[in-house]
Amino acid sequence: NKLPDLHYLLYNSNIGCLCITETWLSHEMTDALLDPDDFYNIIRCDRSGGRGGGVAVLVRHGFTAVPVDLCQDHSGTELICFDLTDCVVPVRILVVYRPPSSCFRNKLTSIDAMSELVKCMDAVLSKLGPTIILGDFNCPEIDWESMSCTADVCQRLFYDFTVYNGFIQCVKQPTRNSNFLD
């Protein structure tokens, strides 16, 4: 239902790379519907079962985006990884949507899924240039301003990964109501 907004953004702005989480796309929605004027290369990871979720990346023709192979075990999470190679040094970008813990069958499953996601992200961190992680991890108990996290094991795994690897939160204001994206 947001295709007109997407088309306006794509064709009336000078966007080189657009990363989208919670796309709600399925195999029924073709790339040509997303970009009817064919200005962009599209990389997608649609949710394989059920509604919602999904991530997509649109990279304007003229820029080189090289997909990076990911580990197979990042269950329950949609994830895309690619390198933008047109920069002084390659920039690795990960786009992630991790559903809220309540979407998993039980707490143990949520912790296992986060553990696998963290292992997968750790395995693809770039050694040639910066790595940028974009998305929604649904970790509302992390306070990025005070750099603190509750005892929730699942969110602590993600928090420890980001701190250990020197990532910083760039979003400084709420993105939806009073919530911040991770």
Side-chain angles (χ1 to χ4, degrees), residues 12-178:
N12 293 291
S13 304
N14 190 24
I15 293 176
C17 179
L18 179 66
C19 302
I20 308 169
T21 62
E22 292 192 76
T23 62
W24 286 63
L25 297 176
S26 69
H27 67 280
E28 297 163 356
M29 170 91 42
T30 66
D31 289 351
L33 287 172
L34 298 176
D35 175 25
D37 291 347
D38 193 31
F39 284 12
Y40 294 84
N41 293 310
I42 300 174
I43 307 169
R44 293 171 42 174
C45 180
D46 300 342
R47 177 157 295 167
S48 58
R51 297 172 6 128
V55 292
V57 175
L58 290 84
V59 180
R60 186 178 283 278
H61 294 301
F63 292 96
T64 306
V66 179
V68 173
D69 288 332
L70 295 167
C71 56
Q72 294 300 313
D73 199 1
H74 47 86
S75 58
T77 302
E78 289 87 34
L79 175 64
I80 291 173
C81 183
F82 64 100
D83 289 333
L84 283 177
T85 60
D86 301 307
C87 308
V88 175
V89 295
V91 175
R92 178 151 296 169
I93 299 175
L94 286 97
V95 183
V96 181
Y97 177 70
R98 180 189 161 273
S101 295
S102 61
C103 293
F104 294 95
R105 288 189 309 271
N106 59 46
K107 198 72 163 167
L108 183 61
T109 304
S110 178
I111 293 167
D112 289 343
M114 180 62 87
S115 180
E116 292 303 320
L117 174 61
V118 165
K119 285 181 195 171
C120 185
M121 291 189 303
D122 192 54
V124 297
L125 292 177
S126 178
K127 293 169 182 47
L128 302 176
T131 299
I132 299 170
I133 301 175
L134 306 167
D136 187 353
F137 290 83
N138 279 297
C139 293
E141 301 304 317
I142 299 175
D143 183 340
W144 295 107
E145 191 171 323
S146 69
M147 293 302 292
S148 63
C149 181
T150 64
D152 179 86
V153 175
C154 184
Q155 295 183 57
R156 172 63 66 181
L157 286 166
F158 178 62
Y159 175 80
D160 289 346
F161 165 79
T162 58
V163 170
Y164 178 79
N165 288 291
F167 287 100
I168 57 170
Q169 167 67 285
C170 294
V171 177
K172 302 294 185 194
Q173 59 191 22
T175 53
R176 184 173 188 198
N177 300 325
S178 63

